[in-house]
Amino acid sequence: MLDKPAGLLAVPGRGADKQDCASTRAQAHWPDALIVHRLDMATSGLLLMARGVAMQRRLSMAFESREVHKRYVAVVSGHLDPTAGAWSEITLPLKSDWPNRPRQRVDADGKPSQTRWRVLAQESDARGRPRTRLELEPVTGRTHQLRVHLQAIGHPILGDALYADEDSLARSTRLLLHASELALTHPITGAALRWRSPPPF
């Protein structure tokens, strides 16, 4: 398990300047380490890697069959109703926005996408502008799902260079989205595994 900082790629990109990434750094210590899932470059937090091809296959299947429990923490623009800590859902289909790649968009012809969210705290920044700290659970795992869903309901994640309005982007020097918890059953031993990482914001 890695705790990826914001601004670091999960896997190598195109070009010599995009070879430094979480997977390359891990392979310097564990040569058989292989990527199982990804986090956006701007997102920080827990990133699971497998030791060897057989384990990578098993863990990838666990992700595909939604046997891996993931939670994120985000800080968004505005105040959302806390509803006494209850979970709410966003169910909006998502599709690639081809003319504006890598952006995604809500589209009736897109893939079904589901995000659960609940309020952790209603806050204000140093200038008194409202913001809300949320806990998020992506039920499906679409590209940029959390970011697009929150923008679509009018509460973009602060510091989101792809989806936030100008004011929400300017309110943070980084995307305020962190992969804070990951839990699964070990595919060989059957042991219950859980990792937590507190958000650095």
Side-chain angles (χ1 to χ4, degrees), residues 26-140:
Q27 287 161 358
H29 297 280
W30 306 282
D32 62 344
L34 298 170
I35 201 77
V36 176
H37 68 120
R38 301 183 186 194
L39 293 177
D40 294 339
M41 180 176 173
T43 303
S44 58
L46 297 173
L47 182 68
L48 182 66
M49 294 190 72
R51 300 288 301 275
V53 175
M55 183 59 72
Q56 181 192 40
R57 187 176 301 112
R58 290 188 182 205
L59 290 173
S60 295
M61 288 172 61
F63 272 90
E64 289 173 15
S65 58
R66 301 182 190 173
E67 296 170 20
V68 179
H69 175 81
K70 297 176 285 183
R71 283 193 178 169
Y72 292 73
V73 172
V75 179
V76 302
S77 179
H79 279 166
L80 283 87
D81 181 8
T83 322
W87 288 93
S88 299
E89 288 188 357
I90 305 168
T91 54
L92 296 170
L94 300 179
K95 189 174 185 179
S96 179
D97 187 356
W98 285 106
N100 301 297
R101 292 181 68 193
R103 288 174 55 95
Q104 308 293 307
R105 61 188 171 91
V106 173
D107 189 297
D109 295 325
K111 294 180 180 178
S113 306
Q114 182 182 3
T115 299
R116 299 179 71 232
W117 63 269
R118 68 177 174 181
V119 172
L120 295 176
Q122 288 185 338
E123 305 171 345
S124 297
D125 64 17
R127 292 173 54 185
R129 294 172 295 187
R131 64 186 194 181
T132 304
R133 185 170 295 264
L134 298 177
E135 187 167 37
L136 305 167
E137 284 187 354
V139 178
T140 52

Side-chain angles (χ1 to χ4, degrees), residues 127 129 158-160 164-173:
R127 292 173 54 185
R129 294 172 295 187
L158 299 184
D160 192 337
D165 56 90
E166 190 174 318
D167 177 67
S168 299
L169 172 60
R171 290 172 64 183
S172 176
T173 57

